[in-house]
Amino acid sequence: MTAILVGGLTGGAALLFVECIQWISTIGFYGRPAFLPDLGRGWVIVVPTLGGLIAGPVISRFAREAKGHGVPEVMQSLALDGGRIRPRVVIAKIIASSVCLGSGGSAGREGPIVQVGATVGSTIGQLLRLSPARIKNLVACGAAAGVAATFNAPIAGVAFAIEVLAGELGVGILSNVVISAVTASVVSRAFIGEHAAFEVPTYELQNGGEMISYIVLGLLAAFVGVTFIRVLYFAEDRFDSWKKIPLSLRPGIGGLCLGLLGFIYPMVLVPAGVPADLAYGGEMPHVFGSGFETIAASLSGTLPWKLLLALVILKIVATAFTLGSGNSGGVFAPSLFMGAMFGGLFGIVIGEIAPGIAPEPGACALAGMAAVFAAAARAPLTAILIAFEMSGDYGVILPLMASTIAATLLASRLHPESIYSLKLTRRGVRLRLGRDTDVLDRVQVGDVMRPDTFTVKLGTTLASMEEAFLESHRHGVMVVDDSGALQGLITITDLERARGSEGEWGERVVDEIMVRSLLTTTPEETMGEALERMAVRDVGRMPVVDPSDPTRLLGSIRRSDILRAYRVGRLERAGDDDRLVQTKIGLHTGHALLELDVLAGSPVDGVCVRDVALPPDVLLTTRLRDNHRQLLHGDDSLRAGDRVLALVPQEQRAALTELFRPGASKGGGR
């Protein structure tokens, strides 16, 4: 019942949000002749600036969680606060995002409505005094309902909530999320109709060669998605570095930069050969707002390549001005915009270069939308489903899958974090896709492997091997050549099988009976992965080798190492829980969580905590010593080998790190 309530309220909030955006946009752009008509296109500069100056105080004074695209804040609440979000975020986010988008801010409405829906779910859960698990469930329900209502795409809404926020496909959470998304879609369709967000022509895969084009498109789209991440956070860092400018004024400066961009670029495109009616894009420049009209034009294949190329670059810059300055809006629609423009451009270019395997530009635009969003958000399933639901054509599934998966894989190599998780990582919050990983998957083979100093060489007789087994009390030994390169493995079972009818081995050597086809692992693999492969082959031990040289033996792991790995994994999990609590404290106090090793010869080695000359406002919280985690007190002494967790103001990070460096002076002081 609560899932239905969350879905219905979120659907209603989405409708209110869209109406507010349209109302503000009509006044600011389409109704401008009533206000200083002589200003002409100068309103393109004025309106975004005014919007930023209005939204800025709402964000800074009412709810700072409304700053930016909102999804990281929802992820943070799930990770640190049990899904609890302040109810006032609903009002602040709707007002700030409506003003931002209605005044031309280059952002999307999906991120804000996801945060609004999540807040609705959290508020209902708190009012009913539900458990943290149920509140988290309702937060995911609200997020799914937001995407479903905005795009009229309930399946994509469910995928987004599971893939980006919840991180797991439990039956309990999935059923409630589906109910909430469906309810929101029903509410949305009751007022705005059955039509999808975009009217997409039907495209068909003409031949198998086109799949090559879609894969190449996905690989190139990865660079667009990663560039978007880097430019956005670069802009955010620049605006945040302006300490003398109040937070409430920075969105106005971002709006001014956006307005100047929108005013200038059409005047550059017209001389470059772009028709004036296309270059100016009507009353509102292409890069303003969500840009759905421009996306629709790209999907129909009617835009020239020069305009498409310009809009890919301009949209990245415009969104960086808007969200980097602290204004409120989402990154979903800008990602789709960039992808549509880039995909349409790719379709035109590939049509000239290789017409035999070239899909239609509109089909490439659709695939590009999914690929760029997947590259930025690392949510390939959501990207595929939302593009599929917008097109309503099952024939596009294979191209979408090819381009989206290619983009996600390459983007993960180019940049480790998504556009959502990067904001949390920079705050010291590191998520494992929202999942509680298996204990053994927390432990690397290198943490528990045994250095194998006992080996035998090729040519060793079986009689000598019997003595070796008796002396070493081992059941298996690695066989190496004269240079120490791994050649095989011999076990006591192999030896017994080779014994002759008279119980003797004669002159036989290990080369004849050893196992040459070895199952190996590397120090970087997890124990979970290694032990799973051992179980498949039913082997009791596995050599650990250098990943760059599979013949270089580093050690071995055996089934008896499972218990030791499990203990290490439990310790890691306890450490993660400890870090989670302290990170939460740090976020509320403005401190960062820093993990430092006590090294021999450093100023803190052998010193009591109370006597350490700590920089101002630094707190040493816990230490890890001999696999035991302890709270630190003033009379506790630090020694080489300890690992210490500290809460430290950002400006004191360098000073504290210096104290843990060997040979450093004992400066600092409180």
Side-chain angles (χ1 to χ4, degrees):
M1 190 65 190
T2 51
I4 296 176
L5 180 61
V6 170
L9 291 176
T10 302
L15 293 172
L16 174 64
F17 183 42
V18 172
E19 287 297 320
C20 288
I21 294 172
Q22 292 177 346
W23 180 72
I24 296 171
S25 178
T26 300
I27 293 176
F29 291 98
Y30 301 99
R32 70 185 181 199
F35 305 93
L36 298 177
D38 294 338
L39 197 57
R41 287 195 71 250
W43 278 105
V44 170
I45 302 174
V46 174
V47 175
T49 306
L50 289 176
L53 292 174
I54 295 172
V58 174
I59 296 168
S60 63
R61 299 178 185 178
F62 196 64
R64 294 202 175 190
E65 303 97 312
K67 175 186 175 184
H69 39 103
V71 175
E73 283 67 32
V74 176
M75 296 168 69
Q76 180 176 309
S77 75
L78 289 170
L80 300 181
D81 299 317
R84 290 175 173 82
I85 307 172
R86 295 194 298 171
R88 65 169 62 185
V89 173
V90 171
I91 300 173
K93 195 69 178 181
I94 289 179
I95 294 174
S97 298
S98 297
V99 172
C100 172
L101 295 172
S103 63
S106 177
R109 61 194 189 198
E110 305 75 28
I113 201 61
V114 164
Q115 190 174 14
V116 167
T119 306
V120 168
S122 176
T123 301
I124 291 175
Q126 293 177 67
L127 289 174
L128 297 177
R129 297 186 178 183
L130 300 178
S131 66
R134 284 287 292 137
I135 293 175
K136 289 182 179 181
N137 186 262
L138 292 179
V139 168
C141 289
V147 174
T150 304
F151 278 119
N152 200 1
I155 301 176
V158 172
F160 180 84
I162 299 297
E163 197 170 27
V164 177
L165 299 180
E168 55 188 21
L169 278 169
V171 174
I173 185 173
L174 181 60
S175 59
N176 289 331
V177 168
V178 170
I179 291 171
S180 187
V182 170
T183 303
S185 286
V186 170
V187 171
S188 176
R189 292 180 182 185
F191 288 92
I192 63 175
E194 297 281 339
H195 61 278
F198 305 110
E199 295 296 332
V200 182
T202 301
Y203 297 112
E204 295 182 0
L205 191 66
Q206 301 297 330
N207 57 72
E210 289 185 8
M211 292 299 294
I212 299 174
S213 298
Y214 285 113
I215 293 173
V216 174
L217 170 60
L219 295 175
L220 295 176
F223 290 94
V224 178
V226 170
T227 300
F228 179 36
I229 297 173
R230 289 175 172 162
V231 172
L232 177 60
Y233 281 92
F234 173 81
E236 187 173 298
D237 289 341
R238 298 288 73 76
F239 279 99
D240 286 345
S241 67
W242 296 350
K243 301 297 183 182
K244 295 182 179 180
I245 300 177
L247 178 63
S248 59
L249 296 181
R250 293 176 201 168
I253 298 174
L256 175 61
C257 295
L258 173 66
L260 291 171
L261 179 70
F263 184 81
I264 294 171
Y265 82 79
M267 296 186 292
V268 176
L269 291 178
V270 172
V274 178
D277 59 331
L278 292 178
Y280 282 93
E283 298 294 330
M284 183 182 289
H286 312 84
V287 295
F288 281 20
S290 299
F292 283 177
E293 296 83 2
T294 309
I295 292 176
S298 176
L299 291 171
S300 64
T302 59
L303 299 182
W305 71 269
K306 290 182 180 179
L307 180 60
L308 292 169
L309 175 60
L311 292 181
V312 173
I313 301 170
L314 291 170
K315 191 64 175 180
I316 294 176
V317 177
T319 307
F321 283 149
T322 302
L323 299 181
S325 64
N327 220 324
S328 181
V331 295
F332 207 134
S335 299
L336 297 180
F337 184 101
M338 297 166 203
M341 301 307 115
F342 181 76
L345 174 64
F346 177 84
I348 294 173
V349 173
I350 199 70
E352 295 292 330
I353 297 175
I357 60 171
E360 296 182 48
C364 289
L366 182 64
M369 290 169 63
V372 171
F373 173 72
R378 311 295 154 79
L381 182 60
T382 303
I384 292 169
L385 289 175
I386 202 160
F388 166 65
E389 285 195 276
M390 287 189 301
S391 67
D393 182 10
Y394 185 77
V396 302
I397 282 292
L398 287 180
L400 287 175
M401 293 175 66
S403 57
T404 301
I405 298 302
T408 304
L409 292 175
L410 181 56
S412 299
R413 295 271 185 160
L414 297 173
H415 198 285
E417 300 289 345
S418 75
I419 200 166
Y420 299 130
S421 65
L422 180 57
K423 179 169 285 191
L424 299 182
T425 300
R426 289 153 65 102
R427 295 174 182 170
V429 182
R430 289 173 173 82
L431 301 180
R432 296 173 181 243
L433 299 178
R435 297 175 177 85
D436 182 20
T437 55
D438 185 86
V439 170
L440 293 182
D441 286 334
R442 294 171 176 262
V443 185
Q444 290 185 316
V445 169
D447 295 332
V448 296
M449 74 177 189
R450 302 168 186 265
D452 240 321
T453 56
F454 183 76
T455 58
V456 297
K457 291 186 177 181
L458 292 173
T460 301
T461 63
L462 299 187
S464 299
M465 276 307 311
E466 182 181 31
E467 297 178 7
F469 280 127
L470 291 174
E471 292 174 0
S472 65
H473 303 289
R474 290 173 177 252
H475 294 88
V477 178
M478 307 300 169
V479 182
V480 298
D481 61 16
D482 292 335
S483 65
L486 179 65
Q487 299 297 318
L489 168 71
I490 183 171
T491 66
I492 195 169
T493 303
D494 297 327
L495 194 65
E496 289 300 323
R497 288 173 180 167
R499 188 189 297 271
S501 58
E502 298 180 1
E504 298 295 335
W505 293 282
E507 297 299 319
R508 300 182 69 185
V509 294
V510 296
D511 311 37
E512 301 176 34
I513 65 171
M514 70 178 184
V515 178
R516 296 180 181 271
S517 178
L518 293 179
L519 191 66
T520 62
T521 184
T522 64
E524 291 76 19
E525 275 195 315
T526 68
M527 281 295 291
E529 294 170 335
L531 292 173
E532 184 177 350
R533 288 161 50 212
M534 288 176 68
V536 171
R537 291 273 293 270
D538 193 27
V539 296
R541 62 190 50 79
M542 187 159 34
V544 182
V545 298
D546 188 332
S548 61
D549 182 7
T551 65
R552 183 186 172 203
L553 181 65
L554 302 178
S556 65
I557 56 170
R558 290 176 277 178
R559 284 176 177 162
S560 58
D561 295 322
I562 296 176
L563 181 59
R564 196 152 56 101
Y566 184 78
R567 287 173 177 168
V568 174
R570 289 296 300 269
L571 186 65
E572 286 290 326
R573 174 177 286 180
D576 282 353
D577 294 340
D578 189 26
R579 292 186 190 92
L580 200 63
V581 172
Q582 297 191 47
T583 298
K584 181 178 178 180
I585 295 172
L587 287 171
H588 287 297
T589 60
H591 286 50
L593 186 67
L594 200 61
E595 190 170 316
L596 298 162
D597 290 319
V598 178
L599 302 177
S602 65
V604 298
D605 183 17
V607 179
C608 284
V609 171
R610 67 164 60 92
D611 297 327
V612 176
L614 293 172
D617 300 321
V618 171
L619 176 66
L620 303 184
T621 60
T622 61
R623 72 176 173 197
L624 180 65
R625 174 185 288 180
D626 299 329
N627 289 339
H628 294 287
R629 191 170 296 278
Q630 305 166 320
L631 288 173
L632 283 173
H633 302 88
D635 55 354
D636 290 329
S637 63
L638 303 177
R639 72 184 187 201
D642 289 348
R643 176 165 291 179
V644 177
L645 286 177
L647 287 172
V648 53
Q650 292 290 348
E651 62 271 14
Q652 300 293 354
R653 288 173 66 103
L656 181 63
T657 303
E658 182 71 11
L659 278 177
F660 284 76
R661 187 173 62 83
S665 64
K666 298 188 179 184
R670 295 182 181 276

